Amino acid sequence: MEIIKALKESKLTGLGGAGFPTWQKWQLVKEAEDRKRFVICNLSEGEADVFKDEYILIHHLKELIFGIELAADTIMAQKSYIFLNDKYKKYFKKIKRSTSGRKIEIFIDTGRYLSGEETTLLQVMEGKLRQPKNKPPYPTESGLYGCPTLVNNAETLYRAYLVSTGNYQAKRFYSITADSGKKKIIEASVAAKISEIIGPKIFWSAKFARISGPSGYFLLREKFDQSVDGTGAIRIYGHRRRIIDGLVDSVIFLKSESCGKCTPCREGTYRIAEKINQLLDSNSLWDRKEIVEVMVEIAEAAKESSFCTLGKSVATPVISTIENFKQELIGE
């Protein structure tokens, strides 16, 4: 079966967070006018609580390499790259052996959070500022060095290879982090509910969870009957934890990772952190209500006005916290 048709029938979407149909992305690059094309396997994995790509490096490297080659053959790429987070340099020799004799080059970088955004990743590879670029044009049309470029997360390429062999079962990897700091990878259906993924023991130990990393959303245990989108990360917070603890984790991370290019993200994360401190210090119910309202306004402004999708995602943890945990936040 022709691979793009097979990808379409499999309904495989990007597993790095964006969820764009894989077949469509491959098709766009394949049909691009410029005959010089590239494939980039994004192994930057710079978001907290996300570690499934490392699991693939350890357990499924051969299949990943086959997936990269499959993509390169499909779009007729001249060269492929693995964009490797330098925290995974310990796997460099292993990857190098696996890519020996193939047109695959390893590009090592600090793998910051923003490298999850395609245009930022391309900027870094070209030796430019670690900041996003205007879209359109999209990387599928004008990517690395201005050439059509297919950028896929490592798990997406691994799953694409499984599709090509007829072994794809509509599953994905979930990164599970507990309050104790223990981490594990669970493979389950893409449609699985959070409660099914984590199992009864973790379920009953949880008060709430953060879904899909610091840029993701917060849910009470009572709402664990939902499926997981985005990066597939699930961080569990125990009964003694406060929702403000989870929100602080997210905002500190997003504030530190902002590239500073646009005001809504740069100033928005700073102002939200400032409001959280005011919330923690306030003894007035009315003041806390007003602070929460202002936090929503700042988050909405970031969502509507930030330059890139990562800046827009600042709103998600803030708004989900206020929607699901408002009573705890303001102390009513």
Side-chain angles (χ1 to χ4, degrees):
M1 182 183 290
E2 201 265 331
I3 184 58
I4 290 182
K5 181 182 178 183
L7 288 171
K8 187 175 184 178
E9 291 179 356
S10 75
K11 298 181 180 179
L12 177 67
T13 59
L15 297 170
F20 192 79
T22 303
W23 75 269
Q24 193 171 354
K25 204 172 194 181
W26 289 33
Q27 185 75 32
L28 287 168
V29 182
K30 184 178 180 180
E31 293 179 347
E33 292 183 6
D34 194 329
R35 297 188 64 82
K36 189 173 183 180
R37 303 167 186 143
F38 300 106
V39 170
I40 300 175
C41 170
N42 190 349
L43 260 162
S44 64
E45 201 158 59
E47 192 163 5
D49 297 337
V50 185
F51 43 90
K52 60 191 176 72
D53 290 355
E54 182 177 21
Y55 181 86
I56 292 171
L57 283 177
I58 296 169
H59 300 283
H60 301 289
L61 179 58
K62 181 176 70 173
E63 293 89 343
L64 173 60
I65 301 302
F66 287 158
I68 295 170
E69 290 192 312
L70 173 68
D73 290 342
T74 302
I75 70 164
M76 296 172 284
Q78 275 64 52
K79 192 174 184 179
S80 300
Y81 295 87
I82 293 175
F83 187 97
L84 185 69
N85 190 321
D86 67 355
K87 69 181 178 181
Y88 296 150
K89 282 193 295 187
K90 56 188 173 183
Y91 304 113
F92 177 81
K93 290 182 179 178
K94 181 181 179 181
I95 299 170
K96 193 70 175 175
R97 287 194 298 269
S98 297
T99 57
S100 179
R102 296 178 165 96
K103 294 181 180 179
I104 302 175
E105 183 176 322
I106 305 169
F107 183 95
I108 300 178
D109 183 68
T110 54
R112 299 284 296 276
Y113 171 60
L114 269 171
S115 296
E117 199 280 330
E118 292 181 345
T119 64
T120 305
L121 177 147
L122 296 170
Q123 289 273 92
V124 170
M125 291 185 68
E126 292 175 1
K128 299 175 182 177
L129 287 176
R130 191 183 300 274
Q131 291 182 339
K133 294 195 300 183
N134 281 318
K135 292 185 289 188
Y138 293 92
T140 51
E141 178 187 349
S142 177
L144 190 64
Y145 308 123
C147 301
T149 304
L150 175 65
V151 184
N152 272 151
N153 166 263
E155 187 179 4
T156 308
L157 290 166
Y158 164 66
R159 299 290 174 187
Y161 169 71
L162 295 183
V163 169
S164 74
T165 61
N167 293 314
Y168 177 64
Q169 298 177 340
K171 291 184 177 182
R172 68 173 300 180
F173 294 123
Y174 296 92
S175 306
I176 314 297
T177 305
D179 245 2
S180 63
K182 290 184 179 180
K183 299 179 177 182
K184 64 178 177 178
I185 292 291
I186 293 175
E187 185 175 23
S189 165
V190 295
K193 297 176 181 178
I194 298 168
S195 57
E196 295 170 339
I197 297 165
I198 62 176
K201 184 177 180 180
I202 298 177
F203 176 85
W204 290 112
S205 71
K207 177 184 176 183
F208 63 93
R210 183 175 69 188
I211 311 300
S212 292
S215 61
Y217 51 98
F218 290 95
L219 287 176
L220 279 162
R221 185 182 67 194
E222 290 75 16
K223 295 186 178 182
F224 284 8
D225 58 349
Q226 301 180 23
S227 59
V228 178
D229 56 12
T231 60
I234 303 173
R235 183 180 183 90
I236 300 296
Y237 290 84
H239 293 282
R240 295 184 179 180
R241 301 297 297 276
R242 303 173 300 168
I243 184 57
I244 197 74
D245 298 329
L247 185 57
V248 166
D249 287 345
S250 287
V251 172
I252 287 176
F253 178 85
L254 295 170
K255 180 175 177 289
S256 66
E257 293 295 320
S258 174
C259 73
K261 180 171 184 172
C262 70
T263 303
C265 176
R266 181 185 67 246
E267 297 300 319
T269 51
Y270 176 83
R271 289 288 310 284
I272 289 169
E274 185 179 60
K275 290 299 173 184
I276 290 173
N277 284 330
Q278 291 176 10
L279 194 65
L280 289 168
D281 292 339
S282 175
N283 293 316
S284 166
L285 173 63
W286 298 109
D287 285 349
R288 290 197 296 273
K289 285 184 175 180
E290 184 177 345
I291 291 166
V292 166
E293 288 173 3
V294 174
M295 286 171 64
V296 172
E297 291 175 4
I298 298 169
E300 290 285 6
K303 182 180 180 180
E304 296 299 324
S305 308
S306 289
F307 184 81
C308 75
T309 54
L310 298 184
K312 296 177 188 298
S313 70
V314 169
T316 305
V318 176
I319 292 174
S320 66
T321 297
I322 293 168
E323 285 180 347
N324 294 313
F325 304 87
K326 188 174 182 179
Q327 187 174 352
E328 181 181 332
L329 276 178
I330 64 178
E332 281 187 324

